[in-house]
Amino acid sequence: MRSIILVTLLAFETISASAQKWVGVPENRFAVTVKIDSAIASETQKLYMYSMIEKEMQLHDSISFDAEHRVGTMHGFVPYEYNVNLLFQRRGPQCVPVVVKGGDSLTIHIGDEDDGFRFRYIDKVEGSPSTLEMVRFELQKDSIRQEYLNQNSQARLYDLSDAQRDSINLLAKMEEAKMERFIMDYACTGNSPYSVIDAASHVFYSFRRYPTMYPCKEEEVDAMMNSLLKRFPDYPPMKAFVNDSTMGSYMSAQSFEIWGALELRVYSERFKKDETITMKPLKVGDYMNLRLYNGPKQNTNDFRGKYLLVDFWASWCQPCMAQMPNIRYAAQEFRDDLVVCLIGMDENRKQWWSTVKEKDLRNKDARQTDRPYKIYNYYAYDDKKRALYPEYQQLKIQTIPHNYLVDRSGRIIAKNISITLAIDKIKALLEKEKCQ
């Protein structure tokens, strides 16, 4: 399988090299010029451009950046307006989507403030109204969706009455309906066929899945579907979508090869593991002697005498984000008896720390809140080696959130426990201690 991937890579290198010789932009092709700031260019790296049209993966082109060469142009072909994705090999956003069509010549500026994000909509774009329309639509949709997720998280708070939880759930439902209505309105009024079909397909499949629960009525969905071909009669994907309303989820064998090739080149560089690390059967000591980085030199054994909750999380993990209010509650409720250690698994320190601040996971004393708390925040990645520190690699964590709860003597009493159950367990143990 690996030899097939490498052959595919060589073929696309040839396409990329020939693409650089084009003069101007032919009518059926497009060009994307990328300008990046100093921090992203501080390491020599490549930028890849790929797309997946009708489930077919295509690697269009790639260019190299370094401290001296911060501007480059890539070329590609799409049969009609569609999106292509930019993928940095090392630093910068992991994915930047733009919308292109034949004859387009785009210029994109990616600043230092965009460094470290898995997915980034860039609004500093010239030459593509469709990209700007997509960015504005997605950002507004994400803003409404975030409010819905925030309400959902609030509804999971540990210490709520049934009336409070019902009230918050009602607000969450209203935000969800607001988001669905916004998507429907855009599908009926947008100018970019690529973004419109994306919104329309969301509406159609959400309604088909939950017809009685969907906030828009059947006649509204029908009216939207009937309007699409009238507005975009020459856009082939729209015709296919409206006529059969089925979008397959398959990928061809060739697409898998191309995607595998891209992963092989990008991810092998980005997530190199230290091959000197020897994996061995896990013991309790592997957890209890865990070294904690980017703070005071200590390990989890240093907290003997108190209960300890160690939680592994990442900013892109929605279940992780949903449990943070309850972790904060536990730190407040048991501040004299419980130590909370949060270990970030993000691949970029900046993204990890911005989430810590955004989610209010830093310590607060009595001057800042009437319920002070302390949370120890640690980072699991070695920035220089771009890999997990050896101690964390040995834990072989496959899914997050991943946590363990430790008693005062240093004995692990629960693993991968919901925070609600962990709070109940600590309360019961503290009550038991009082009775002794």
Side-chain angles (χ1 to χ4, degrees):
M1 181 63 188
R2 180 164 295 215
S3 61
I4 295 175
I5 290 174
L6 291 175
V7 169
T8 307
L9 286 172
L10 290 173
F12 276 102
E13 279 295 332
T14 305
I15 293 173
S16 175
S18 63
Q20 302 296 336
K21 300 177 184 177
W22 294 339
V23 179
V25 183
E27 186 178 346
N28 63 340
R29 297 187 180 274
F30 66 87
V32 178
T33 298
V34 181
K35 300 178 181 179
I36 62 174
D37 280 356
S38 56
I40 299 174
S42 62
E43 300 178 41
T44 302
Q45 64 170 320
K46 274 195 171 185
L47 175 64
Y48 297 92
M49 181 169 68
Y50 69 94
S51 65
M52 189 167 70
I53 300 179
E54 296 176 1
K55 306 301 176 184
E56 292 295 321
M57 181 68 67
Q58 180 180 357
L59 178 59
H60 293 275
D61 205 348
S62 65
I63 50 177
S64 295
F65 288 106
D66 56 39
E68 293 182 8
H69 305 93
R70 300 184 194 172
V71 180
T73 301
M74 294 178 288
H75 300 80
F77 164 78
V78 286
Y80 34 74
E81 181 176 285
Y82 220 78
N83 92 296
V84 297
N85 299 297
L86 311 181
L87 177 64
F88 282 92
Q89 182 183 21
R90 294 178 183 273
R91 296 193 64 159
Q94 189 171 324
C95 182
V96 177
V98 294
V99 180
V100 294
K101 61 181 182 299
D104 276 355
S105 182
L106 287 67
T107 300
I108 300 172
H109 181 196
I110 300 175
D112 292 347
E113 70 274 12
D114 302 310
D115 185 16
F117 289 88
R118 290 171 60 88
F119 193 89
R120 201 68 164 163
Y121 288 110
I122 304 295
D123 59 3
K124 298 177 284 292
V125 177
E126 300 170 11
S128 177
S130 292
T131 294
L132 292 175
E133 183 176 318
M134 175 192 71
V135 169
R136 288 161 189 157
F137 165 67
E138 293 292 346
L139 291 181
Q140 193 168 346
K141 181 181 74 174
D142 285 350
S143 175
I144 302 172
R145 180 174 179 271
Q146 190 57 54
E147 189 56 40
Y148 159 68
L149 292 174
N150 289 343
Q151 295 291 348
N152 247 359
S153 294
Q154 289 295 315
R156 298 182 189 181
L157 285 173
Y158 179 83
D159 203 20
L160 290 178
S161 66
D162 289 343
Q164 288 173 316
R165 186 167 283 107
D166 288 344
S167 176
I168 294 172
N169 279 328
L170 180 60
L171 290 174
K173 191 173 182 179
M174 290 169 62
E175 288 296 330
E176 184 181 24
K178 180 180 176 183
M179 180 182 70
E180 296 296 343
R181 175 62 64 182
F182 170 74
I183 297 171
M184 161 73 89
D185 290 344
Y186 174 74
C188 294
T189 59
N191 296 313
S192 165
Y194 168 76
S195 297
V196 164
I197 195 173
D198 186 51
S201 60
H202 171 90
V203 170
F204 178 82
Y205 291 112
S206 296
F207 174 76
R208 192 171 72 173
R209 213 172 284 124
Y210 310 109
T212 58
M213 299 172 62
Y214 195 70
C216 300
K217 297 178 181 178
E218 183 175 2
E219 51 266 32
E220 293 178 284
V221 177
D222 287 343
M224 177 200 74
M225 294 294 286
N226 290 331
S227 74
L228 295 176
L229 279 182
K230 294 178 183 177
R231 291 160 57 209
F232 304 105
D234 300 321
Y235 190 59
M238 197 71 78
K239 191 176 296 185
F241 169 60
V242 173
N243 285 346
D244 56 24
S245 296
T246 58
M247 302 179 86
S249 58
Y250 67 90
M251 278 181 70
S252 69
Q254 182 184 18
S255 292
F256 270 116
E257 286 181 14
I258 297 168
W259 183 239
L262 195 59
E263 284 188 318
L264 178 68
R265 301 182 76 169
V266 175
Y267 292 101
S268 63
E269 292 294 329
R270 187 173 275 192
F271 305 125
K272 272 184 179 174
K273 291 185 178 179
D274 188 342
E275 295 187 5
T276 62
I277 295 171
T278 304
M279 293 295 185
K280 60 185 189 305
L282 286 175
K283 300 177 182 177
V284 172
D286 292 318
Y287 286 94
M288 291 314 302
N289 294 313
L290 195 64
R291 181 180 168 190
L292 302 171
Y293 291 85
N294 76 275
K297 290 185 177 179
Q298 56 192 172
N299 65 28
T300 45
N301 261 322
D302 295 337
F303 298 114
R304 290 279 179 99
K306 290 192 174 186
Y307 291 97
L308 171 66
L309 174 66
V310 180
D311 187 86
F312 297 85
W313 67 283
S315 61
W316 44 265
C317 167
Q318 284 300 332
C320 298
M321 295 295 96
Q323 72 177 6
M324 287 307 173
N326 282 339
I327 288 179
R328 193 166 55 245
Y329 172 88
Q332 293 170 322
E333 188 74 5
F334 312 117
R335 59 180 176 272
D336 296 327
D337 298 285
L338 175 70
V339 173
V340 175
C341 292
L342 298 183
I343 300 178
M345 306 286 281
D346 277 283
E347 297 139 16
N348 182 276
R349 184 182 293 270
K350 181 178 178 180
Q351 187 174 4
W352 160 72
W353 188 242
S354 66
T355 306
V356 169
K357 292 188 289 185
E358 179 189 340
K359 297 298 180 182
D360 220 7
L361 302 176
R362 294 180 293 176
N363 303 336
K364 284 197 173 180
D365 58 30
R367 294 169 299 176
Q368 299 166 297
T369 176
D370 57 352
R371 298 196 71 204
Y373 59 90
K374 186 169 186 178
I375 295 176
Y376 291 84
N377 282 287
Y378 299 100
Y379 185 56
Y381 265 84
D382 184 334
D383 292 326
K384 293 181 180 178
K385 293 186 178 180
R386 296 187 176 278
L388 287 172
Y389 286 111
E391 293 95 324
Y392 298 113
Q393 287 190 35
Q394 287 179 341
L395 297 182
K396 296 181 283 188
I397 296 171
Q398 299 296 318
T399 59
I400 52 175
H402 178 94
N403 60 45
Y404 58 95
L405 184 63
V406 182
D407 68 11
R408 296 186 190 275
S409 67
R411 182 172 61 96
I412 296 176
I413 55 177
K415 279 183 69 175
N416 292 333
I417 185 174
S418 76
I419 304 303
T420 299
L421 289 177
I423 291 171
D424 286 339
K425 194 173 187 70
I426 295 169
K427 278 187 174 179
L429 289 168
L430 292 175
E431 285 296 324
K432 188 175 179 181
E433 287 179 4
K434 285 181 183 178
C435 297
Q436 290 177 346

